[in-house]
Amino acid sequence: METQVRTTVEELNKDLKNLFQTITSVSIDKKYVMKVDNEEQTHLEFVEFQLDHLTQSGRKKLARRIRHINKKQGYRAFTSFVSMLKFNDIIRHNIKIEQSQKEKTIQLYRKEYVRARAEAETLRLKYVTEKGDFYKS
């Protein structure tokens, strides 16, 4: 049994346009910051795709990645997909999808908390070893 993979240039172009609409809507919902050539954008539907130079195997790989990103819609999947498009010269713009400022702040505070917790543990161990059996008399 052979599966049908949409690998013609027209089908891939249509799938990419639909995918970029999905990326835009998910990014708006999750408050991701989309930057095109270091300028913030509210949508990505204007991006043009160059698919003529891809071989048959290249188009199949792209179709597989499109199918995968339709199933796993998240920050990591979007950024890796867009960087793959840029690496393969499918898009000309430098597109970055970044986390929201709130999410960056939360992650920064988490790192500080973990660092402080580790320091508190080392201080507790120093205290316990110094105290030893002193108060057990």
Side-chain angles (χ1 to χ4, degrees):
M1 182 173 156
E2 199 162 314
T3 58
Q4 293 293 323
V5 180
R6 299 167 53 103
T7 58
T8 65
V9 173
E10 295 82 22
E11 291 171 335
L12 286 175
N13 207 354
K14 184 178 142 207
D15 289 344
L16 281 170
K17 288 210 179 284
N18 290 339
L19 182 61
F20 268 67
Q21 289 174 353
T22 304
I23 290 173
T24 299
S25 63
V26 170
S27 296
I28 289 170
D29 291 344
K30 294 188 177 184
K31 296 180 176 55
Y32 295 149
V33 178
M34 297 177 287
K35 291 184 179 181
V36 177
D37 297 328
N38 291 326
E39 294 179 11
E40 268 191 47
Q41 298 290 331
T42 56
H43 61 88
L44 297 174
E45 284 86 14
F46 63 89
V47 177
E48 294 295 323
F49 308 104
Q50 304 292 326
L51 302 171
D52 299 332
H53 67 284
L54 292 177
T55 61
Q56 178 70 22
S57 62
R59 290 195 305 268
K60 282 184 179 181
K61 288 177 186 177
L62 178 61
R64 235 179 288 128
R65 292 289 297 262
I66 291 171
R67 189 174 53 227
H68 172 73
I69 199 169
N70 277 325
K71 291 180 182 176
K72 286 217 172 241
Q73 296 178 353
Y75 169 74
R76 180 181 240 172
F78 292 159
T79 55
S80 67
F81 182 73
V82 169
S83 67
M84 184 270 305
L85 291 179
K86 179 67 176 166
F87 180 76
N88 290 333
D89 290 330
I90 295 172
I91 56 175
R92 300 285 181 227
H93 300 289
N94 188 17
I95 299 174
K96 299 276 186 208
I97 299 174
E98 298 176 351
Q99 296 172 336
S100 66
Q101 190 60 38
K102 179 85 170 171
E103 198 167 349
K104 288 179 184 177
T105 307
I106 290 169
Q107 289 177 358
L108 178 68
Y109 288 153
R110 171 74 180 162
K111 285 180 184 177
E112 288 177 12
Y113 166 70
V114 168
R115 194 176 314 119
R117 186 177 61 192
E119 184 179 333
E121 182 63 22
T122 58
L123 291 174
R124 186 189 73 78
L125 290 174
K126 275 186 188 177
Y127 160 72
V128 168
T129 55
E130 184 65 30
K131 181 183 82 158
D133 293 336
F134 183 74
Y135 294 109
K136 288 191 175 182
S137 44

